[in-house]
Amino acid sequence: MKFTKLMTGAAMAMALATGALADGHAKTKLGFVYVGPVGDGGWTYEHNKGRLAVEAEFGDAVETVFVENVAEGPDSERVMTQMALDGADMIFTTSFGYMDPTINVAAKFPNVKFEHATGYKRADNVSTYSARFYEGRAIQGHIAGKMTKSNTVGYIGSYPIPEVIRGINSAFLHARKANPDVQFKIVWAYTWFDPAKEADAAKVLIEQGADVILQHTDSTAPQAAAQEAGNVITFGQASDMAQYAPLPRVSSIIDDWAPYYIARTKAVMDGTWESTDTWDGIGAGMVGIGEISDAVPADVKAEALALKASIADGSYMPFTGPIKKQDGSDWLADGETADDGTLAGMNFYVEGIEGDIPQ
Amino acid sequence: MDLSAINPVLFVAGFLVAATPLIFAAVGELVVERTGVLNLGVEGMMIMGAICGFATAVETGSPLLGFVAAAVGGATISLLFVFLTQVMLANQVASGLALTLFGLGFSALMGQSYVGVKPPRLGDVDFGPLSDIPVIGPILLTHDIILYLGLALVAAVWATLKFTRIGLVLRAVGENHDAAHALGYKVVRIRTAAIMFGGACAGLGGAYISLIRVPQWTEGMTAGVGWIALALVVFASWKPWRVLAGAYLFGGITQLQLNLQGAGVAIPVEYLAMSPYVITIVVLVILSADKSAAPGSLGRTFHASS
């Protein structure tokens, strides 16, 4: 079975290669592996927008394929292998859980370039890229702290990985700065995409007194739940989710992958592609802040925009000391900023957050 | 830890809602399996119901019409399974899996233009002053009509299977299709009707997710509820009231773990996530003393010539 599959794949790759030669010009073939459906309205939706932007930019010179709803684990390895066998020049793997599979498959296909989103393992033909979402979360944390009346902010986490913990810490630090009484209630959904579970998590948080819901999962179900509850605000995650504006969605963090995807595709075409580690934020435009709606008071909106501007021009770093860890030990001294290595591997809460990170 | 953060009334009311899609899907599958057919396509029929119901509710502005369409959609898609297993005599397990895959893909195609659309809301039933009764009122009398329909369905299926001639025939077909055939019952026809009934129920369950529990449309939004429903039928050892209890157990534990997390209780989530399955195994072991085993013809292909 496996052997026939391999043979079919190889045959298809050969056919593609010869077909391209017959054309006289070789198309650059790009593969995209998505963790959710392209219609999720959030994370995968934005990656797919990036893919479409690449197609729009290069037209017939590129050919893109994508597979959605690919489970993190052996399934993803199979999908990547198939893409490589089908002649992909570069494969974007767009979820943290694809990290090890990407490295494994990359080792088998040294001539194929791999781009892994949000991971930290690289190889000669594996680049990593991510966006500094925590910069956006600082702004949302500020708005959350100012807007909450119950002083309880609910946070739907996906998996307890550094990416998510960093977002919680950033949002919490800035919510506390805006409002010293604010408390975070954190619920782990253990999924990136499960609308029913996300809706349940949002409802539970609202029942337990939260009037602001932050999420690090991919669907718009929490927005729908907040809308039903009334008097609860939310933020768009990964995508603008503007259909829920002006309430409950009062602002959003938007991932804009298009410029990066276009640049990397160009590098493959030019033969200048190299393994790099890209981590851009608001300044570089990889992280966008969706419109802050009129539901937010004008002064809070102005503060949020000032915070955004100071992060964008580099004059302010969201993790600037003094900051202690949850257990009370010192982390950053006054004025000290966190280095990327610590941020990338962040596995602790900052002081003031209640609860433990699930191990 | 702050257990007082959990409001027991809201918690119970919440898990009644969470369990409803499961109740519909599992009761439908229970009837199907009682006639001796194993349809693993529950997930596919649910997601088809979810999109058919959603699209109809959005286009007509009527959530109730949406539920009707969901039942019709689920029943229609189940005809594919009927054709494969009852007409072409294909393997039921493979056909069921194919139905799930087909349903997931086809619903995504149908739902392309419904992403991000808000459905009309189905209001709660108005019980007047009764819903002001402390504790009982907020728990039991603040729901939509479909939730009560689910409870009524369990009662109806139980009564039909236990007390009526139709139920007797249905069970006979499931226990021994050759004997039923010899007695003159139309095995294929009865099974077809049961499969369509199961499809309609699964469709209702799916629409409950897309119209009430979430409410919005996204691809793959049933996220495995259909598979849990299949497990639930086995857990319930093919008895309707046990399906109800099991659905509340499964739905309740999911809600409970979210509630506990919100309250800051440090129980590893993985334990809670697997607990319904652990409990299923334990219950199955206990129930093995019970003589109510699976229907005798479950999963076997029937042809009048054999």
Side-chain angles (χ1 to χ4, degrees), chain A residues 2 6 73-89 91 98-114 122-126:
Chain A
K2 254 190 184 153
L6 269 170
D75 246 8
S76 65
E77 204 160 321
R78 184 176 58 78
V79 169
M80 288 169 208
T81 306
Q82 191 63 45
M83 280 181 175
L85 286 172
D86 286 351
D89 298 294
I91 298 173
Y98 297 153
M99 182 163 65
D100 291 330
T102 303
I103 295 292
N104 294 344
V105 178
K108 283 186 247 167
F109 296 93
N111 294 323
V112 180
K113 318 280 188 264
F114 290 83
R122 285 168 56 207
D124 283 345
N125 60 336
V126 181

Side-chain angles (χ1 to χ4, degrees), chain A residues 143-164:
Chain A
I143 298 173
K146 286 282 185 187
M147 296 280 286
T148 178
K149 292 184 184 68
S150 63
N151 290 331
T152 304
V153 172
Y155 203 113
I156 306 171
S158 45
Y159 295 93
I161 57 173
E163 164 70 42
V164 180

Side-chain angles (χ1 to χ4, degrees), chain A residues 26-66:
Chain A
K27 280 189 177 184
T28 303
K29 189 164 180 177
L30 308 173
F32 292 79
V33 186
Y34 298 144
V35 72
V38 294
D40 68 355
W43 176 259
T44 298
Y45 176 74
E46 290 295 327
H47 282 286
N48 196 49
K49 260 170 68 177
R51 179 185 71 84
L52 294 172
V54 170
E55 283 194 334
E57 176 81 13
F58 298 105
D60 284 345
V62 296
E63 182 190 350
T64 66
V65 291
F66 69 89

